[in-house]
Amino acid sequence: MSAFQTTHAFSGFSVDDVDAARSFYGETLGLEVTTNPMGFLDIRLPQGGSILVYSKPNHTPASFTILNFPVEDVEAAVDELNSRGVVTKIYTDPDFGTDAKGIAHGGPGRGPDIAWFTDPAGNVLSVLAMG
């Protein structure tokens, strides 16, 4: 038996406002969110696994995508997120920018269609085409 175990591994990230995160992840995105005894948030993912969200006074938003949501139709997912008040990020990079809805269209050598948005703490999330 090994002392190092991988069976209950989980990911985590920080936010600057746990209450805003609870509302965003639970109500806006519809994930199962509970508060653990330490006051941190536990987000249970529908197909198993969990994410720990903790408050950090000097929080700096992640400069990379911390959570990806695979979807069948990125455009429909963006429309639904927009209807819930979520604003997608518009990137103007000439090599891999987004359209007016915030969707970067994939293709050979470019990956899947993807759109990015942020949580209330500024952490970057995405919806991307399942493939």
Side-chain angles (χ1 to χ4, degrees):
M1 177 141 203
S2 172
F4 174 74
Q5 299 290 313
T6 60
T7 53
H8 297 287
F10 61 92
S11 183
F13 57 86
S14 70
V15 296
D16 55 2
D17 183 336
V18 168
D19 291 332
R22 180 183 302 106
S23 174
F24 180 78
Y25 287 98
E27 296 169 24
T28 304
L29 297 185
L31 294 166
E32 181 185 334
V33 179
T34 58
T35 304
N36 73 21
M38 296 182 293
F40 300 153
L41 302 180
D42 285 319
I43 299 174
R44 306 295 297 166
L45 300 175
Q47 293 181 323
S50 66
I51 302 166
L52 178 71
V53 178
Y54 56 94
S55 180
K56 185 177 175 192
N58 59 346
H59 166 76
T60 301
S63 60
F64 52 87
T65 308
I66 62 162
L67 187 57
N68 298 284
F69 296 95
V71 297
E72 294 284 339
D73 182 337
V74 172
E75 188 153 344
V78 166
D79 289 344
E80 185 175 331
L81 287 167
N82 291 164
S83 76
R84 296 179 188 185
V86 176
V87 177
T88 48
K89 296 177 68 66
I90 307 297
Y91 291 105
T92 57
D93 182 300
D95 294 324
F96 198 66
T98 61
D99 66 14
K101 282 188 170 186
I103 300 169
H105 295 278
R110 295 173 54 93
D113 288 357
I114 185 168
W116 294 272
F117 57 100
T118 58
D119 71 4
N123 294 311
V124 179
L125 304 106
S126 84
V127 288
L128 72 158
M130 297 178 2

